[in-house]
Amino acid sequence: MKLFTAILILVFASVIPAGAFAQSKEVPPEWAYPVNPPGLKPPPDDGTLRRVPGSTAAFTLTQVRDRQFSPVWHPEEHPPQPEVVARGRKPDVAACGFCHRADGPGGPENANLAGLPAAYIVQQAADFKSGARKTSVPKRNIDQKLGMFQAATDAEVEAAATYFSALKPRAIIKVVETDTVPKTFITANHLAAVKSGETEPIGQRIIEVPEDLERFVSRDTHAVFIAYVPVGSIQKGQALATSGGGGTTIPCGTCHGPDLKGLGPIPGIAGRSTNYTVRQLYDFKHGSRAGIGSALMKPAVEKLTVDDMLVLAAYLASLAP
């Protein structure tokens, strides 16, 4: 264990500039990087109070769209939110709970923060602030996020990290292996199923959608997501994650712990959004994520294809967080 810690310290001391990882002709998979179409306008608020199952709270559409407000539907399930999580700080710091929800589960478009090591959350904020952590598809509102971290104080980041790290993660994803999937549209930088019930072949994609779009729009922390994956993905992902695929990657448990729920400052990867996982693997491989911890990921991602990332994400999402 002492040797492992020493290795981590040496690796963390290395700073890799963006673009230093192996490059290829790969194109970011559109299904993992949904981008709002130009001119997308959300429906107007008719003033109706929105409600969700299991809660006595009620909010309007305008309230749940307010970036300076984190709707609390189930207050008994988490401690009071610190100010930066609940309301942020105008004009530049949005409420953390607006995007990541009141107790941190997030969604396909961002990270699940619940239970992540506080030091890891602080480091990611620093990487965003320095520009070391970006995205392979810059149109995904990354400028807004970078601006927010530029404006956030160290105390605000620490408060948010302490709050989210103390929360217990829970399963919010159902992985379904299938040949056909619902047709989808893009809203708020994530996919959602069309209401008509139309379907199409899945191909080599993951289609992750809210099970109930309106609950997700309301920022209900009980919202659940369905990740449709090609048949056989979970088993293939398990084999790759546990064996390394004969040199394709490194067994995930080497760094993330035998149960893949994290080890020291290294985050857990079990039970996470499939599309989020694919984006991180792709961004690590292509240098868009080039912060301090990226050195640890280099040997794990440099040989991965998008199809490898797909099956790994399907397997990891099928596990309890």
Side-chain angles (χ1 to χ4, degrees):
M1 186 64 188
K2 290 183 179 179
L3 176 60
F4 179 69
T5 303
I7 292 173
L8 284 183
I9 292 172
L10 289 172
V11 173
F12 275 18
S14 303
V15 178
I16 296 180
F21 286 178
Q23 301 295 311
S24 73
K25 295 181 180 179
E26 283 182 334
V27 175
E30 291 185 6
W31 50 265
Y33 291 86
V35 176
N36 288 342
L40 177 67
K41 293 183 179 180
D45 183 5
D46 63 5
T48 302
L49 287 174
R50 303 174 71 89
R51 301 182 186 276
V52 302
S55 174
T56 59
F59 303 103
T60 65
L61 188 56
T62 297
Q63 286 179 297
V64 299
R65 286 177 178 167
D66 183 355
R67 299 186 65 82
Q68 306 297 147
F69 178 62
S70 171
V72 174
W73 293 103
H74 311 283
E76 72 283 359
E77 295 183 359
H78 56 83
Q81 302 171 101
E83 184 70 11
V84 69
V85 176
R87 282 169 287 277
R89 177 170 48 81
K90 292 182 178 181
D92 298 317
V93 181
C96 303
F98 170 77
C99 289
H100 298 282
R101 280 52 179 182
D103 63 355
E109 81 282 20
N110 60 40
N112 184 335
L113 300 182
L116 288 178
Y120 176 81
I121 296 175
V122 170
Q123 183 59 58
Q124 299 318 298
D127 288 347
F128 276 120
K129 186 171 185 176
S130 71
R133 181 170 176 176
K134 302 185 184 71
T135 172
S136 297
V137 180
K139 293 180 181 179
R140 298 192 78 253
N141 290 342
I142 190 66
D143 289 342
Q144 188 176 61
K145 196 172 191 72
L146 293 177
M148 186 181 76
F149 281 112
Q150 291 290 342
T153 66
D154 291 346
E156 288 170 333
V157 172
E158 288 281 356
T162 299
Y163 172 75
F164 285 118
S165 66
L167 301 174
K168 184 177 181 179
R170 62 180 184 279
I172 59 170
I173 301 173
K174 300 176 182 177
V175 182
V176 177
E177 295 190 339
T178 181
D179 293 321
T180 60
V181 294
K183 285 190 175 182
T184 57
F185 64 98
I186 298 174
T187 179
N189 291 305
H190 67 85
L191 297 176
V194 298
K195 294 181 179 180
S196 65
E198 294 176 87
T199 62
E200 62 186 5
I202 190 171
Q204 282 301 110
R205 301 180 295 166
I206 295 176
I207 301 298
E208 185 175 341
V209 297
E211 186 176 56
D212 183 329
L213 178 58
E214 288 307 311
R215 290 184 70 172
F216 188 50
V217 168
S218 294
R219 291 176 156 67
D220 180 10
T221 52
H222 287 187
V224 173
F225 308 93
I226 302 176
Y228 297 101
V229 303
V231 174
S233 295
I234 296 175
Q235 185 175 2
K236 291 176 183 177
Q238 181 179 19
L240 188 57
T242 54
S243 73
T248 300
T249 185
I250 295 172
C252 300
T254 303
C255 292
H256 295 279
D259 56 4
L260 304 183
K261 296 182 180 181
L263 187 63
I266 301 177
I269 53 176
R272 297 199 165 273
S273 160
T274 49
N275 286 10
Y276 178 83
T277 296
V278 170
R279 289 197 301 273
Q280 304 323 300
L281 293 173
Y282 191 93
D283 289 353
F284 274 125
K285 177 177 178 178
H286 294 275
S288 297
R289 279 195 67 169
I292 291 175
S294 62
L296 282 174
M297 288 298 296
K298 180 180 179 181
V301 299
E302 58 188 353
K303 295 180 182 179
L304 291 178
T305 66
V306 171
D307 286 349
D308 292 330
M309 298 174 192
L310 185 160
V311 297
L312 281 171
Y315 168 62
L316 295 174
S318 73
L319 303 175

